[in-house]
């Protein structure tokens, strides 16, 4: 009976034209954030993936001198720009985020929709022994931004 149900499910799925889901849409700038609260800090790890249709706009925000290369200074400036878009508070106290590292893909990879910008931010923040309340907001104004937070 289990085999029959599996065969029916496969037939049903293929007959209605279900196709595999892609990692993200081509017309979106996916900003996925993982929040890691430690005993004395808060760490944010962001994975920024521009889709093919918005890659040129994102690249233009990073490559400010338009030379087709991402310099160390341009990458740092973009990380700081992203940090300004983020807001974190712990127990009602605003937390200042510092860029702690980043990896940028090639421009060609971003244009192909496969380039992922990885940024890490950290802040000193002390939790209490009682219940804690962490509030995170991303106010990015990049083109067609979508968010994912864990």
């Amino acid at each position: 009976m289990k085999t029959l149900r599996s065969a029916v499910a496969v037939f049903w799925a293929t007959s209605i034209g279900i196709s595999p889901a892609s990692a993200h849409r081509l017309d979106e700038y996916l900003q996925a954030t993982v929040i890691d609260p430690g005993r004395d800090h808060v760490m944010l790890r962001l994975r920024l993936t521009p889709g093919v249709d918005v890659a040129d706009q994102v690249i233009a925000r990073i490559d400010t001198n338009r030379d087709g290369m991402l310099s160390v200074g341009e990458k740092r400036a973009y990380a700081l720009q992203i940090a300004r878009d983020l807001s974190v508070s712990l127990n009602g106290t605003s937390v200042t985020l510092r860029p702690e590292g980043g990896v940028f893909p090639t421009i060609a990879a971003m244009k192909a929709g496969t380039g992922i910008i990885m940024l890490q931010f950290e802040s000193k923040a002390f939790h209490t022994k009682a219940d804690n309340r962490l509030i995170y907001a991303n106010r990015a104004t990049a083109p067609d931004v979508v968010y994912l937070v864990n």
Side-chain angles (χ1 to χ4, degrees):
M1 190 67 170
K2 189 175 185 180
T3 306
L4 179 59
R5 276 190 234 147
S6 297
V8 170
V10 169
F11 171 77
W12 181 78
T14 57
S15 67
I16 61 169
I18 293 178
S19 61
S22 62
H24 71 283
R25 295 183 184 207
L26 298 176
D27 62 346
E28 296 174 339
Y29 188 18
L30 176 62
Q31 296 196 358
T33 305
V34 174
I35 301 172
D36 181 13
R39 208 176 271 275
D40 62 350
H41 70 277
V42 173
M43 175 107 36
L44 301 178
R45 292 183 183 91
L46 278 75
R47 293 173 49 96
L48 312 173
T49 310
V52 173
D53 294 347
V54 298
D56 285 334
Q57 295 167 30
V58 173
I59 292 164
R61 293 182 73 169
I62 305 168
D63 184 17
T64 55
N65 67 2
R66 310 289 188 260
D67 67 353
M69 297 176 9
L70 304 180
S71 70
V72 172
E74 288 171 326
K75 292 174 186 178
R76 177 143 179 84
Y78 190 70
L80 291 170
Q81 180 181 344
I82 294 294
R84 284 189 297 272
D85 292 339
L86 306 176
S87 170
V88 176
S89 67
L90 180 63
N91 299 325
T93 302
S94 183
V95 171
T96 303
L97 296 170
R98 293 182 321 275
E100 288 293 319
V103 177
F104 284 73
T106 64
I107 288 177
M110 282 192 276
K111 287 185 177 196
T114 58
I116 300 172
I117 301 165
M118 294 185 283
L119 300 175
Q120 183 170 303
F121 301 93
E122 186 174 14
S123 179
K124 295 292 180 198
F126 297 94
H127 301 177
T128 64
K129 291 186 180 189
D131 291 337
N132 292 281
R133 184 174 180 178
L134 181 105
I135 299 173
Y136 168 78
N138 185 333
R139 297 178 306 279
T141 58
D144 302 313
V145 176
V146 293
Y147 308 97
L148 175 65
V149 180
N150 288 318

